[in-house]
Amino acid sequence: TLDDDATSNARTKKTSQVTVSGGVTMTVTEEESRLLAQRDADRLLHQAKLSLVLDLDHTLVHATADLRASQFRKRDDVRILQMAFEGTGTYMSHYLKLRPYIKEFLQSVQPDYELTVYTAGTRQYAEEVIIALSRYMVGSTRDAQDLGEFRHIVHLATLEFEQIQRWEKQKLEQLSQNTKTDEENQDSSTQDMVVDAAEQVSAKKRKKVSFEEPQEEKEIRPASFIQSGTLELLTGIKQLTQSSLEKLQKELADAEDLEKQARELRQKLFGSRIVSRTDVADLGPVVKSLKRIFPCGGTMAAVVDDREDVWANAEDNALDTIKGEPPPNLLLVRPYHWQPFAGFADVNNASGDDWLGE
């Protein structure tokens, strides 16, 4: 009918934006939105899962760039992120305190939910946070900076040990050569004992005078790659030996294996499902829209966030959303503030209201 045609044309002309894998935002028609939503729903039903959208700051972590936070780096649940300033080659440290029981929470929801991160932070920040979470979950105590420094230490220790071995080999070769020379001298000593009597008398009358100072044989050691005490300070190893080097290399291999496990877990948990303010800059820092990741409003999704106002500010969270009200599938959690970080400036948006009081 004409009415059906008009409705179909309207759906074709009406467009919206949706952010897909990798943070790419594209414009789709209403009809395309419905097809994408149906395909997404079919996939989740086949997997017997729902979607769970997770905020980061004050929901899963408490982050600050305050340098005073570095004093807590010895804790396993305090991580450091090195955030690069694009085009400058400089970095800024962010300190991350993971929310208590975050590991147990992610392990418990992973079988039944497909996880998505939606944060007011940048994409780089989001990527660094979720890999830090993954490292913590697999039991790795080294962040990217720690692992890089440890790789460098083991590399220098390997070079140092190889140089020591070359030096010791040269010493053995020199010792062998000296022994051979001594034996040759001893064999010819009997011939030297038969000397012309006249020459012996003449030798007694002559006196040798030397104007050169005797040269002392000095032991030349190889230059050290590692400053004195540095290796012991960083690794606890007092003397670099074959066994101590193998211990370092084994420790590095274990750390590399944990890093591999962390990256595999990061992909398993979140895949490319990350939405950041970098990807949805047109929405502003205090607006989150479910329709940006679920074309028809995420009817098969739940949201966990410490702020409801950012969702209430959106005009199109769902088909029946009223501006000024959060979506009904929002699970509001108490903002996480780690007391030792009190007074430190937060990295991104301020947290929501602590509805349980301080």
Side-chain angles (χ1 to χ4, degrees):
T1 64
L2 293 177
D3 289 341
D4 291 338
D5 291 340
T7 302
S8 178
N9 290 334
R11 287 178 178 175
T12 303
K13 292 180 180 179
K14 188 175 180 181
T15 62
S16 60
Q17 290 182 304
V18 59
T19 300
V20 295
S21 296
V24 178
T25 298
M26 62 182 185
T27 301
V28 297
T29 65
E30 185 176 343
E31 190 64 31
E32 289 171 330
S33 293
R34 292 182 181 277
L35 290 174
L36 288 172
Q38 186 60 52
R39 188 181 306 168
D40 194 50
D42 291 343
R43 178 178 56 80
L44 290 173
L45 287 170
H46 179 72
Q47 297 175 359
K49 287 186 175 185
L50 295 174
S51 291
L52 186 63
V53 182
L54 300 172
D55 175 50
L56 293 181
D57 292 293
H58 299 295
T59 298
L60 302 185
V61 301
H62 184 183
T64 181
D66 196 305
L67 291 176
R68 290 174 292 176
S70 63
Q71 63 185 294
F72 303 107
R73 280 286 289 119
K74 291 184 178 180
R75 294 179 56 109
D76 288 346
D77 57 354
V78 174
R79 301 291 169 140
I80 184 170
L81 315 180
Q82 293 297 328
M83 305 296 295
F85 290 99
E86 188 174 355
T88 65
T90 58
Y91 293 83
M92 182 177 184
S93 297
H94 286 12
Y95 300 93
L96 201 70
K97 172 62 175 68
L98 310 182
R99 190 164 195 155
Y101 304 107
I102 184 62
K103 178 179 180 179
E104 291 79 2
F105 169 73
L106 292 175
Q107 287 174 336
S108 66
V109 298
Q110 190 272 329
D112 300 318
Y113 291 89
E114 184 178 81
L115 305 182
T116 298
V117 164
Y118 197 155
T119 176
T122 65
R123 170 161 283 273
Q124 181 192 6
Y125 174 76
E127 290 282 1
E128 292 292 339
V129 170
I130 62 175
I131 188 61
L133 284 170
S134 301
R135 290 188 184 109
Y136 177 71
M137 290 183 69
V138 300
S140 173
T141 58
R142 287 188 170 90
D143 295 312
Q145 181 184 13
D146 301 324
L147 184 57
E149 290 174 351
F150 191 54
R151 287 190 188 113
H152 185 61
I153 290 170
V154 176
H155 175 67
L156 291 182
T158 302
L159 292 178
E160 178 117 342
F161 186 74
E162 290 173 352
Q163 192 169 17
I164 290 172
Q165 284 186 313
R166 286 194 297 270
W167 172 67
E168 290 180 345
K169 182 180 179 181
Q170 290 172 1
K171 281 180 61 180
L172 288 174
E173 290 174 350
Q174 185 64 45
L175 180 61
S176 176
Q177 183 64 34
N178 292 341
T179 302
K180 183 177 180 181
T181 302
D182 290 342
E183 291 174 351
E184 292 174 352
N185 291 338
Q186 187 175 3
D187 292 339
S188 62
S189 62
T190 55
Q191 298 177 9
D192 295 338
M193 293 175 64
V194 182
V195 184
D196 185 83
E199 289 182 357
Q200 289 184 13
V201 172
S202 177
K204 290 180 180 179
K205 292 181 179 180
R206 292 196 300 268
K207 184 177 182 180
K208 293 183 180 180
V209 180
S210 175
F211 296 94
E212 296 181 358
E213 294 182 359
Q215 294 183 354
E216 296 181 359
E217 184 179 350
K218 294 185 178 179
E219 185 179 45
I220 302 176
R221 296 184 62 87
S224 175
F225 288 105
I226 303 177
Q227 294 181 356
S228 176
T230 301
L231 187 65
E232 182 179 359
L233 178 64
L234 296 176
T235 65
I237 293 176
K238 296 181 179 180
Q239 184 179 3
L240 188 59
T241 62
Q242 179 74 41
S243 61
S244 63
L245 178 61
E246 289 175 354
K247 178 182 176 183
L248 279 179
Q249 293 171 335
K250 175 65 166 56
E251 189 175 347
L252 177 60
D254 292 343
E256 297 281 15
D257 183 60
L258 284 175
E259 180 69 10
K260 180 181 178 182
Q261 291 180 39
R263 294 192 175 277
E264 290 174 350
L265 179 61
R266 173 253 173 274
Q267 186 63 27
K268 180 180 178 181
L269 288 177
F270 299 102
S272 56
R273 297 178 299 275
I274 298 175
V275 181
S276 67
R277 74 161 182 254
T278 308
D279 311 314
V280 291
D282 58 301
L283 290 178
V286 292
V287 178
K288 290 183 177 179
S289 169
L290 270 180
K291 291 195 72 174
R292 275 304 175 90
I293 44 179
F294 304 109
C296 287
T299 55
M300 294 181 64
V303 179
V304 177
D305 204 322
D306 68 297
R307 292 183 62 169
E308 63 179 356
D309 60 311
V310 294
W311 297 96
N313 291 337
E315 297 182 353
D316 59 351
N317 266 318
L319 298 177
D320 56 351
T321 294
I322 301 175
K323 185 177 181 181
E325 295 183 4
N329 47 353
L330 170 65
L331 303 175
L332 189 64
V333 296
R334 185 184 185 188
Y336 176 55
H337 297 280
W338 193 44
Q339 188 57 39
F341 280 6
F344 297 173
D346 294 331
V347 169
N348 294 305
N349 283 353
S351 67
D353 294 331
D354 189 344
W355 32 270
L356 291 181
E358 294 296 338

